[in-house]
Amino acid sequence: MKVIMAIVQDKDSNRLSTALMEHNFRSTKLASTGGFLKSGNTTFIIGTDDIRVDKALQVIKENCQSRDQMVAPVSPMGGNADSYVPYPVEVEVGGATVFVLPVDQFHQF
């Protein structure tokens, strides 16, 4: 058995949740915040049998696409302002960061 932890952008969260249910994957959703852009993310925790891991990864990949987005950088506070860029920059957001972990024991009460 494995636990899959998938961190996805909030924009992809509902689509992924629906797709996981359609493919009979049970998941737990947790609200989380990204460190780089400080934007909202959703972390999915999915428990599944070893033989279904590849299918779960396929569902995640199909529903969490990366895209470019313009963001305004945060101004430095008390730091070195020499490298501060005061105009929006384009960065890649979205997609999914996925961890697959082994499960030693599984209990359901």
Side-chain angles (χ1 to χ4, degrees), residues 59-78:
V59 171
I60 295 167
K61 186 175 182 178
E62 289 172 355
N63 289 280
C64 300
Q65 301 299 318
S66 61
R67 56 196 154 277
D68 293 331
Q69 177 178 320
M70 297 298 284
V71 296
V74 178
S75 63
M77 301 211 32

Side-chain angles (χ1 to χ4, degrees), residues 26-97:
R26 290 200 263 177
S27 64
T28 299
K29 289 172 46 172
L30 302 173
S32 54
T33 304
F36 176 64
L37 297 176
K38 306 216 183 314
S39 60
N41 293 325
T42 302
T43 300
F44 286 84
I45 302 173
I46 306 158
T48 189
D49 294 320
D50 291 348
I51 60 173
R52 297 199 66 213
V53 169
D54 288 337
K55 182 61 179 176
L57 294 175
Q58 177 186 350
V59 171
I60 295 167
K61 186 175 182 178
E62 289 172 355
N63 289 280
C64 300
Q65 301 299 318
S66 61
R67 56 196 154 277
D68 293 331
Q69 177 178 320
M70 297 298 284
V71 296
V74 178
S75 63
M77 301 211 32
N80 184 359
D82 292 340
S83 62
Y84 173 65
V85 181
Y87 50 86
V89 292
E90 188 173 51
V91 296
E92 185 176 304
V93 297
T97 301

